[in-house]
Amino acid sequence: MTVGTFLARANALRDQGPMALMSPDFPALKAEAKAATNQLKAERAARAAAGKPPIACVPEGESVGIMDMLDGLEELPASYRKRPLKDGYARVLANLYPCR
């Protein structure tokens, strides 16, 4: 799923308020976000094994909530809308937790 598709569907759910929890889109989007997170964890491990620096340096025990993720995706340049959700989420993490 692309960043643009994810955001469009997530914003439609936001508009539904509490009723969004009953929408079939809710578990589907939750699964997409989880899949992107798992892909980024695997990519981080592969980069570490290859001796490459991480994309983002999230402090141990920290996590990004769904609302922070959505806000971060909304702030990305329009060019990111066509990229996979994983790539957009990686950029959000890098913006929030840059490696120093």
Side-chain angles (χ1 to χ4, degrees):
M1 180 178 293
T2 66
V3 170
T5 301
F6 185 84
L7 284 173
R9 291 174 66 183
N11 287 333
L13 284 179
R14 271 190 194 181
D15 292 344
Q16 293 180 23
M19 294 303 295
L21 297 174
M22 303 299 219
S23 171
D25 249 2
F26 183 76
L29 290 180
K30 190 173 177 181
E32 285 289 334
K34 178 77 171 161
T37 299
N38 290 339
Q39 290 169 351
L40 288 174
K41 286 179 181 178
E43 187 174 314
R44 181 182 178 98
R47 290 178 70 83
K52 295 180 180 178
I55 293 170
C57 293
V58 180
E60 190 69 32
E62 286 282 325
S63 64
V64 176
I66 189 66
M67 297 310 288
D68 291 331
M69 178 188 176
L70 290 172
D71 291 343
L73 291 172
E74 288 283 0
E75 293 172 2
L76 293 176
S79 62
Y80 270 84
R81 300 292 166 122
K82 294 181 181 180
R83 293 187 184 187
L85 180 59
K86 175 192 72 81
D87 294 349
Y89 191 30
R91 173 57 38 213
V92 169
L93 290 173
N95 288 344
L96 290 172
Y97 302 105
C99 297
R100 304 195 190 273

